[in-house]
Amino acid sequence: MLRTTFAGLRAHKLRLLLTATAIMIGVGFLAGTLVYGDTAKAAFFDDLARAAKNVDASVGTSNAVSFAETSRRLDESILDDVRSVPGVAHADGRMAERLPMLDPKGRLISNLGRIGWALSTPGDGHLSMYDVGSGRLPARPGEVAIDDTTAEIYGFAVGQRVSVVGPDQQPVALDLVGIMDLGANKRFAGLTVAALTPADMRTLTGADGYAEVVVSASPGVTQRELADRLQEKLGGRARVLTGEEVRADYAVAAAKYVDGFLVVIFGFGLIALAVSVFVIYNTFAILVAQRVRELALLRCVGASRPQIFGSVVLEAVVVGVVASLGGLLVSTVVGEGLLIGRNAVGSGVRVDRLIVTPTTILVGVCAGTFFTVVASLLPAVTASRIPPLAALRATTLEAAVPGRRPLRTTIALVLAAGGGLLMLAGTRVPGFNGVPIVFTGAIGVFTGIVIASPLIVSRLTAWAGWLPARLLGAPARLAVTNALRNPKRVAATTSALMIGLALMSVFSVLLATARQQAEQELDENFAVDYIISGVYTPGGQARRVPLAVTEVLRSHSELAAVAAARSRDADVDGHRAEVWSMEPGALDTVLRPEITAGSAAALQPGTVALNRFFADAIGARVGSSVEVRSRTLRVAALYDDAPTDGQALVDWSDYAAIFGTGDPDQVLVKAAEGVSPEASRAAVDASLASAPLTQVSSQAEWRARVTGTLDEQLGVFSALLGMSIVIGLTGIANTLALSVLERTRESALLRALGLSRGQLRGMLVLEAMLMAVVGAVVGVGFGVLVGVSASVGLIRQYGHGSPVLPYGQLLLYVALAAVAGAIAALLPARRAAKTEVAAVMAAD
């Protein structure tokens, strides 16, 4: 039996190739994610080592490797103490403080409301934490070097002037003499970085000490020895880390994002592998069907059932190992593609080489082989049940091994019903908590669909082929008949395609609903075009917007409504909440929150309006009394959407009485009707010329950001899940290619009866299209059901309306599946059309 198995593999190379293709794609995608993860992590370690270049020990006051503005600074005298420690070859103190930088138009550069950093120039070039890309480092007061990212975004070049904001909040112009390369340093991610002389650091930032002192060891002194000596010398004045600990902390801070992305990608790799299992199972089932007479003949000459079972499993092991090794080669292509994609979307780390670890090789080979063997078990059992008498007559697997339709139907109904009840229960749970319940139920429903698919596919295929059979004549009718003749084979093939399209449809519905909800909230309930707020400053406090700004804004005819707003966290009936207020008259404009109960006109001194969700949490309703920071107020209204995220809206005078007077935290602006966004934004910018430490957020920018983020997510998911569709289509191609081999005599007989080569090709292509369309329709339909169910709970919690179905996108999925099915069938159809009629009819 062992010799027979290997002889069969050698004799059927095409069959081996077709089976291995499905395994290679699945393993390649799974291993590719591991290759990508290993490479990205190594790249982060290499790139982040630049910040700790030549550093054998770091002396600081913070546990984390960061220049936290709240941490105490090291006295400058500590540098002499460090240099006096035996084994210290080089030592340098690094100053780091927050420093606002202005763009070429005089506007503040900030990221999420946070200003950038200023770093001192290195006193010892051996321990510089950055490289100079162009120009030089500042050598005297009045000079500055900035990071390459800021220079690229805002168009700064060596020789220009760069303005920063000094301690008196006035712009200070500096000569730009250099562009720095900081590498992928997460402590400065997205923020401006300016290198200044120590004198300018003290003048412009008020620096009064070092944020960190870095040390390089003398030859023969280990990092641990040096760190221990420094810790003994400094005692409790500072915390000492070895250079390796510093590098590890940097890498962990940066690699969190790689790990998170890798987990998501790895999940999709498992999905792709699961789809491959369907294809592999289908392939082995077809192979067993083709070999009914061969296996029955082996039974006749003495092979036992365990030997037949072992023969099929052994074949799976051999194919699995060979194909998994090929999948590792495919994984390098996948890993390279993921790295290119990451670089394209703005990653700070770019690499030119891939890293393949022994773990990746082991996981890829073992996973591919294991799942191949698992997929072959049921066909192997089926093969072992073939009776010896089957060798004496022309038969098919369907005839040799009868099915169990009642049992199949019962199991499918139980799983589908149970899953449906879970999905229904999930829709009643608001928010994200219901989504896992919906997805768990969806798994049960889909499993039921897969089990029942041989019973479903026949009817769907007949419906799909009804029109082509009447319009395209005998070849189309034959295609429909062939698809109906072996429903198990078609069902197994279409199941692979169903999974990919179902997942894509789920995410399409969810993202389309999220996009529609976001736009609806912006357009209908967030009637604010611009929000002006202060930026964060050292200490984590946000600056306020000067009240005079509101008067300047109101003087512009391009702006229809301007309202100052204040907010503060406080206790409301024993619960922490954001209390906010708008200046008098604002509630009479379009800036009024969406009132769901009570009346906005009833909001007077002594009353409060509550966010409806917060009111539910504390058990309040209209007419109730609540205590706001020891002041009792009556609930006059409940609201849903508002210009701020505050939970309790109080009268302007009450706010001043509770928290005191002061400038607003935000200014809300609505553009006049018919004024272009460019004109209204220009009016806002002109009004803020005298207040540089403010930032502007606009509705258009927010909408673009939300929509762009959702579109990017859809693109990532589509690319990843598209791999599942590719695997499903590979399954269709495998099925057709094996079908051509299985039906060689049938094709020859059709040719002998008058079917032309073109008609035979058309018949096989149409058969593939029918399978693809049936799989696409079922997959898209199921995905829509799950997507709508998951959306209902999210809408109930976070918005209003109904789920959105992207009909164009869903129809495109079905159309693409049909076209791809036709393309997948071209080569098998061409092979069938080249069959020599006389030679085949003379055989056997």
Side-chain angles (χ1 to χ4, degrees), residues 211-298:
E212 180 186 25
V213 174
V214 289
V215 182
S216 182
S218 301
V221 179
T222 66
Q223 292 187 3
R224 175 47 57 192
E225 290 174 345
L226 181 62
D228 290 342
R229 294 176 187 177
L230 288 168
Q231 193 69 72
E232 181 180 358
K233 173 71 174 180
L234 302 175
R237 297 166 58 191
R239 182 173 185 269
V240 182
L241 299 174
T242 65
E244 288 303 320
E245 290 172 335
V246 172
R247 277 180 277 274
D249 285 346
Y250 276 132
V252 167
K256 288 177 184 176
Y257 302 95
V258 178
D259 290 340
F261 186 60
L262 180 61
V263 168
V264 175
I265 302 289
F266 186 75
F268 285 110
L270 293 179
I271 291 172
L273 198 59
V275 178
S276 294
V277 170
F278 275 97
V279 175
I280 296 165
Y281 163 75
N282 180 46
T283 302
F284 275 100
I286 293 173
L287 294 179
V288 172
Q290 290 178 345
R291 299 165 59 194
V292 168
R293 298 185 67 185
E294 173 190 333
L295 296 172
L297 184 60
L298 289 173

Side-chain angles (χ1 to χ4, degrees), residues 192 229 240 375 396 475 589 605 713 791 794 811 820:
T192 61
R229 294 176 187 177
V240 182
T396 65
T589 69
Q713 290 178 7
S791 298
L794 297 178
L811 290 174

Side-chain angles (χ1 to χ4, degrees), residues 657-684:
I658 298 172
F659 301 106
T661 59
D663 287 333
D665 302 292
Q666 294 180 333
V667 176
L668 313 176
V669 181
K670 177 69 175 178
E673 190 71 26
V675 176
S676 68
E678 293 78 11
S680 59
R681 181 59 186 260
V684 171

